[in-house]
Amino acid sequence: MNWRGKALRFCEVTGMPMLEPFVRLAAGEDPKEQLAGIAKYVLLPFVAVMIFLAMWSAAAKTIVTDSGQLPSPTATWEAGKELIAMHRQQRSDDAAKKQEKLMSAVQFMADGKALERRATTANEADKATLLSNALVLKKKAVQAANYKPTSAPTFVDQIYTSLKTVFFGFILATVIAVPVGVLCGMSPWFNAAMTPFIQIFKPVSPLAWLPLAAVVIIWAYRNSQPGETFFDKAFLISAATVSLCSLWPTLVNTTLGVASVDKDYLNVARVLKLSWSQKLYKIILPASLPLMFAGLRISLGVGWMVLIAADMLAQNPGLGKFVWDEFQNGSSLTYARIAFSVIVIGVIGLVLDRTMICLRNLVSFGNSAAA
Amino acid sequence: MFFRGHRLLHAQLLCLATLTLFAGCSSNEITLDDLEAAAAKLDKANEENAAAGGEEIPSPTGEVAKTDTAVREMLNVEKPNLKFGFIKLTDCAPLVIAKEKGFFEDEGLSVEIEAQSNWKILLDRVIDGQLDGAHMLAGQPIGATIGIGTESPIITAYSLDYNGNGITVSNEIWGKMQENDPELKKPQPKHPISAASLKPIVDDYKREGKDFNMGMVFPVSTHNYEIRYWLAASGIHPGFYNEQNIQGTVDADVILSVTPPPQMPSTLEAGTILGYCVGEPWNQKAVVDGIGVPVTTNYDIWKNNPEKVFGVADQWNEKYPNTHIAVVKALIRAGKWLDEKDGTGKLINREEACQILSKKDYVGADVDVIDNSMTGTFVFQKTDVRPMPEFNVFFDNQASFPHYSDCVWFLTQMRRWGQITESKPASWYAETAKKIYKPEIYRTASAMLIAEGKVSKDEFPSADYDGYRPVTNEFIDGNAYDGRDPIGYINSFTIGNKEDSTLSKQ
């Protein structure tokens, strides 16, 4: 396999056909054909985006109500730049504050010591007070030295929070859905037992799960104080909601993948007298991987979509809360910021989806169109 | 921090100390020992400086009692890192100001304040401990303690403000009200505007079998009782609550429903509701956007009525009593700062407060919307802009003191509309108020501030004050309220539940 073959394979696996014409062009293949490819995969989308932006600009000029207007692309871009700038500003402010707190910690310490010195010469009545105050000052010093910034999360912080939540929820869902799916696929009896649950719970809207997830998690955490636990309640509630919604595509697809393993393979297993675990690991799982990953891809997409909605409803930290808070602000910048968030959410969704396609292609034994 | 003299040298010394502080730090938690070492370094530097002929560097914190000052007990705060919830309304100002102006920090607290989407979530989070405390509707601690909705004891030791709400109707309804009362057609109609001109409109809706919907923000909110008071004062029945009907729509002429404050203008614009009662900036927003007309403010419905409080869970207070006192201290200073006036009686800090509140993580609305009401003017219509210096009172007239009589007023209204389903003797009202309102905590905090010289004694009620404000008839219907006679007060209304008068003796 020369470099050209490798590059083409790379384009195929990563699901980026727009790079293919460039590779072929570099390899000296028919330029005419490649230019057509470039036109199709690069120029045409670019033109389409331009047309969309023009239409958006025009719409922004006309859609104006009393309480707000549709933001133009430039306003959105400005709002985005401002949000990033705000994030940077906040970071440097926090750092400055931390420095200041450290200084005051040292000062508190010195003051505490000064009080202790005074206590040695003070009368009996004052002595106890002075010493206890010195202790309080020392405590304040330790508190100030370990100061954690209390600024509200910025836009960038919220993106991180959302990504953490969605991956945690998604992994949770995968850990549940894959084994159950494999069992359903292998045993028609088990599948029959599971069918009612799958059929009933699959169509339920994520937001209906949210209060129930909240009740369970708050019950589980009833004896603990906030800050003592490894996970925040709010984080777990969002993650659980994501799990409950992104379970089903993986489960159904895994079941299908396992159930539709080629009979010839299973017969081979029988001939070779493979044990149950060998059959599972050597034949069934590898053969059902492509479908399983197709399910995971849908799950992640659903999870991301659900998370934003769950954050909005439950006011848990994340992009959804950012959008909702902005909507509640009702200021002149609100809609531009929301539009920017929408684009960011979309881009993140796209990146997640592409990542899953890439993973699926890697396990598809060269047949990327299998699922 | 104020460096008095030697600023440069001092800062250098501190920098030196803090840098060396980190050098020996193995973990990321800084311990007392690390600090001891750093302080020792600082002392040494100080001594060397003194030996070299410099004078002793004064302490910037001012915490060190010099030999000539009295020895005072300091607060030992149990929980320095706190998280408070708030709803995006201008009356959360004391919390925001206490944070932004460093009053919390002066008490050794580092506080995060987080916007919540609605009152229910805010209350639930205070109950389950996700929030340490919150900006609450005055009725929320009362409702939660006596079990209207979620039952869990919540207390308050600090009243955030008086007044600050308005009742707004849509342009269409305002037009019809003007038809019914020519007085309202003037560019500056006579205030207060009662609901008398609204009654024929509501009656028409009833005849046609259509619901007349209005919005308020929460079943136990000030807004609910105010809009009911305003409607009932003109003979419009806002509906009773009972055990089966928790929407409060029994016999109702007007259907009241819950809408979160920030969504009020858009819900009005969408036509889902025809009017609403809400806090600022959401009445002014309706005027600015031209989608509705504020007809009255709660200052006219009841002059200097309690609006929001700072509520914490009873358990939280038992666990962290000193922290609670420290928080109340910071809030008192914030309230005082907000009501600071110059010689002419002009509020001097409100402009700055509006700038702070308009940040996106606080109220977030545009400055010009917020500062209408905050700077003491209220826009009813473009032609009718009135000075209302007391539209928002945070501290003056003992606005921040938790008066028992304020608690009792809410209890009487809860009984009047049937949220409290059984008859209670007069003594129950006084006892319940004592359970929820905690002036003793407020007094501890204010005494400390007086001792520190940050406030003066005459800004607070006298020591023999029993928590019941004087009898007042400054209500829109002129009905007098005496907190010591709740039963008599409940029975004084034409529309509302009636009690057996023997209860007032018990």
Side-chain angles (χ1 to χ4, degrees), chain A residues 2-14:
Chain A
N2 57 1
W3 70 265
R4 173 179 159 277
K6 278 195 183 121
L8 286 178
R9 171 92 183 112
F10 173 80
C11 295
E12 192 188 1
V13 168
T14 52

Side-chain angles (χ1 to χ4, degrees), chain B residues 90-140:
Chain B
T90 53
D91 51 22
C92 70
L95 281 171
V96 174
I97 295 301
K99 176 178 159 70
E100 288 280 321
K101 286 272 147 199
F103 299 143
F104 281 137
E105 279 186 22
D106 290 351
E107 304 299 332
L109 304 167
S110 62
V111 176
E112 184 183 342
I113 64 174
E114 187 187 56
Q116 309 293 313
S117 63
N118 62 53
W119 292 113
K120 166 107 178 65
I121 284 181
L122 175 134
L123 183 64
D124 286 350
R125 287 187 167 184
V126 171
I127 290 170
D128 72 30
Q130 289 184 61
L131 294 171
D132 294 295
H135 159 232
M136 286 187 188
L137 295 155
Q140 277 188 300

Side-chain angles (χ1 to χ4, degrees), chain B residues 379-401:
Chain B
V379 183
F380 288 92
Q381 299 169 71
K382 299 241 174 351
T383 55
D384 189 10
V385 181
R386 292 176 187 239
M388 290 194 87
E390 295 197 312
F391 184 81
N392 278 112
V393 183
F394 294 99
F395 189 70
D396 293 354
N397 311 327
Q398 269 88 49
S400 63
F401 190 87

Side-chain angles (χ1 to χ4, degrees), chain B residues 11 23 43 79 124 128 139 164 222 227 239 266 281 324 340 355 393 400 402 410 445 469 484 496:
Chain B
D43 282 349
K79 190 178 182 193
D124 286 350
D128 72 30
T222 334
I227 195 166
S266 49
H324 196 183
E340 209 77 65
Q355 291 289 349
V393 183
S400 63
F410 284 103
R469 288 204 271 162
R484 292 181 188 81

Side-chain angles (χ1 to χ4, degrees), chain A residues 65-68 83 86 90 97-118 121-123 125-130 132-155 214 218 221-222 224-226 228 232-235 237 312-317 321-322 324-335 337, chain B residues 1 3 10-11 14-15 17-19 21-22 28-32 35-40 42-43 56 58-83 88 99 105-118 121 125 128-132 260 262-263 265-266 269 282 285 288-291 319-320 359-366:
Chain A
T65 65
D66 289 334
S67 51
L83 283 173
M86 274 175 163
Q90 190 67 65
K97 186 99 201 173
K98 199 154 170 59
Q99 188 61 32
E100 190 187 312
K101 281 278 171 190
L102 265 181
M103 288 193 181
S104 62
V106 174
Q107 200 54 56
F108 275 133
M109 202 65 216
D111 290 353
K113 288 182 111 86
L115 283 188
E116 279 176 347
R117 279 200 295 275
R118 258 189 72 195
T121 57
N123 62 29
D126 284 355
K127 194 170 177 168
T129 317
L130 281 171
S132 79
N133 284 356
L135 262 182
V136 171
L137 278 174
K138 286 189 170 181
K139 206 172 143 181
K140 277 189 175 176
V142 176
Q143 277 167 16
N146 294 312
Y147 169 79
K148 302 263 183 305
T150 53
S151 48
T154 62
F155 183 65
I218 284 167
Y221 271 45
R222 70 197 176 284
S224 61
Q225 282 302 312
E228 290 174 4
D232 261 0
K233 269 185 237 183
F235 172 82
I237 292 168
M312 270 192 179
L313 191 77
Q315 287 288 288
N316 295 331
K321 180 169 165 53
F322 175 85
W324 195 246
D325 278 353
E326 270 310 327
F327 173 59
Q328 293 207 323
N329 284 348
S331 80
S332 43
L333 289 167
T334 288
Y335 294 96
R337 284 182 185 154
Chain B
M1 289 223 297
F3 296 114
H10 200 169
L14 279 177
C15 274
T18 47
L19 286 176
L21 194 70
F22 265 140
N28 46 7
E29 280 282 302
I30 297 167
T31 63
L32 193 60
L35 284 168
E36 292 270 14
L42 191 66
D43 282 349
E56 175 89 13
S59 145
T61 57
E63 288 285 10
V64 174
K66 294 263 182 306
T67 37
D68 55 351
T69 54
V71 174
R72 273 201 323 269
E73 193 72 54
M74 278 180 174
L75 264 185
N76 191 352
V77 172
E78 307 89 346
K79 190 178 182 193
N81 299 320
L82 301 169
K83 190 175 189 180
K88 290 179 179 277
K99 176 178 159 70
E105 279 186 22
D106 290 351
E107 304 299 332
L109 304 167
S110 62
V111 176
E112 184 183 342
I113 64 174
E114 187 187 56
Q116 309 293 313
S117 63
N118 62 53
I121 284 181
R125 287 187 167 184
D128 72 30
Q130 289 184 61
L131 294 171
D132 294 295
Q263 270 99 67
S266 49
E269 202 176 4
W282 308 111
K285 186 146 174 58
V288 172
D289 294 347
I291 54 179
K319 218 166 155 182
Y320 311 112
K359 290 183 181 174
K360 81 171 178 59
D361 295 320
Y362 300 137
V363 179
D366 293 341

